Amino acid sequence: MRGVWLEEGRIHVRDDLDTPRPAAGEALVEVSMAGICGTDLALLRGYAGFEGVPGHEFCGRVVQCPERPGWIGRRVVAEINLSCGRCARCRAGLRNHCQRRSVVGIRGRPGAFAELLALPLANLHPLPDAVPDRRAVFTEPLAAALRIGEQVGLPRAEPVLLVGAGRLGQLIARALAASPAELHVVARHPRQRELLEGFAAAILAEDAVPAGRYAVAIEATGGQTGFEQAVRAVRPQGTVVLKSTGCGTTQLDPSRLVVDELTLVGSRCGPFEPALRLLEQGLAAEDLIDEVFPLGDAVEAFRRAARPGGRKVLLQPQG
């Protein structure tokens, strides 16, 4: 099987990978389209110590399903956390934080930058016919964007700040556009600002963010500067939502958190069903795509995806 292999900070395309075999309760999925995200780029820099096939934003078609043959031929997307269902966290309803979990393309489980992958049926969601592959590939990051609304009460009477208008930030803006919150976004690049039109009430330069104004600030850059800006922007008793993972460290002044009684909220994976409903209803996503590369050109695709201000780069394993 052909797939992208990550090892010691480098990627290359291999044609000798073992074809996955579905275990009990699993299906074999032929990957149609997969997106390169910031986490994949962080894996190259050493985040999570992952070695193997990366990739977790994808859509595909079930080609084998020994226990449930009715799934064969279905177009699907998949949640990326594989839980044991038996540990204390799973029993408490925290399956995404399972003590024994693996994570597709990130932790202990081969990812979607390959022709095929095997996944539990419990993780699969059928795709509505109205959602084409180029939109469906955004399901996982859109679900992650929607997670913010599950965790934090978004204010109606005052604006919310989003720091960062990259790949994830653009989806957060679109997810929050349907909420009652007035969204202000910090965007560096002209193309990012163009894509935000219609989804943000205000688009700010980095040096134009007022200090102490916002009840909620969402950090979506994954960098020290973005984190500092988000903390500086919230008012006393405000909330900073951290939405990006990375391999670096962030310095934190705990005295500011204590004196101003700030709340830090980590935010990761979110609900697929609401994300699929939004995509089926026509939530715009295809305009966030820069380029689509065949799997054999994955090295160049990763190089393009790492360009500052770039949009989403996709890999197409089939064809």
Side-chain angles (χ1 to χ4, degrees):
M1 180 187 71
R2 170 173 279 199
V4 177
W5 189 261
L6 187 157
E7 186 175 359
E8 296 182 352
R10 298 180 59 191
I11 60 166
H12 60 280
V13 179
R14 290 177 51 176
D15 293 311
D16 61 346
L17 298 177
D18 293 335
T19 299
R21 296 181 178 180
E26 292 188 347
L28 185 67
V29 178
E30 183 181 75
V31 180
S32 304
M33 200 81 73
I36 300 173
C37 82
T39 300
D40 299 312
L41 298 174
L43 292 174
L44 270 179
R45 300 191 298 269
Y47 171 65
F50 180 79
E51 177 182 307
V53 178
H56 58 277
E57 300 178 3
F58 78 99
C59 62
R61 188 179 300 274
V62 176
V63 293
Q64 287 183 32
C65 191
E67 295 182 17
R68 299 276 296 277
W71 277 83
I72 295 175
R74 287 189 184 183
R75 296 172 61 240
V76 295
V77 289
E79 298 187 41
I80 66 174
N81 295 285
L82 281 66
S83 58
C84 72
R86 300 181 303 275
C87 69
R89 293 179 187 174
C90 286
R91 294 197 304 271
L94 301 173
R95 297 179 67 91
N96 282 351
H97 300 280
C98 169
Q99 293 165 291
R100 303 183 184 94
R101 78 180 183 275
S102 57
V103 184
V104 175
I106 298 174
R107 176 180 174 179
R109 187 82 182 194
F113 295 157
E115 293 172 320
L116 299 161
L117 78 164
L119 287 170
L121 283 166
N123 285 63
L124 301 185
H125 292 260
L127 268 172
D129 292 339
V131 181
D133 289 348
R134 288 169 67 96
R135 194 185 311 162
V137 77
F138 289 95
T139 305
E140 195 277 336
L142 179 59
L146 292 172
R147 175 66 174 151
I148 297 168
E150 290 187 330
Q151 295 174 286
V152 178
L154 298 174
R156 294 174 178 267
E158 53 187 316
V160 170
L161 181 68
L162 170 61
V163 182
R167 290 172 288 265
L168 179 57
Q170 294 289 337
L171 283 173
I172 293 172
R174 292 167 194 229
L176 296 188
S179 77
E182 176 187 317
L183 185 64
H184 294 184
V185 185
V186 179
R188 284 184 175 179
H189 304 284
R191 181 56 178 154
Q192 292 176 342
R193 292 191 281 271
E194 291 174 14
L195 290 167
L196 287 167
E197 291 180 5
F199 299 102
I203 302 172
L204 307 176
E206 290 177 288
D207 59 358
V209 179
R213 178 181 181 186
Y214 298 92
V216 176
I218 302 162
E219 202 294 305
T221 70
Q224 177 72 29
T225 300
F227 174 73
E228 291 174 352
Q229 190 165 59
V231 171
R232 189 166 54 248
V234 294
R235 59 164 171 73
Q237 295 189 344
T239 299
V240 176
V241 180
L242 303 179
K243 200 61 207 178
S244 294
T245 56
C247 62
T249 57
T250 298
Q251 294 182 347
L252 174 65
D253 178 9
S255 65
R256 171 76 202 283
L257 302 183
V258 174
V259 172
D260 285 345
E261 298 183 322
L262 303 184
T263 300
L264 291 183
V265 176
S267 183
R268 193 166 59 98
C269 299
F272 267 51
E273 291 301 333
L276 286 169
R277 283 196 298 271
L278 284 176
L279 294 172
E280 186 177 20
Q281 292 163 6
L283 182 137
E286 289 93 329
D287 61 325
L288 298 178
I289 299 170
D290 254 343
E291 298 174 271
V292 181
F293 287 85
L295 193 62
D297 293 339
V299 175
E300 175 63 15
F302 265 75
R303 189 185 71 80
R304 299 286 185 94
R307 292 180 301 182
R311 294 176 290 166
K312 181 72 73 175
V313 173
L314 304 182
L315 289 172
Q316 191 170 20
Q318 310 300 325

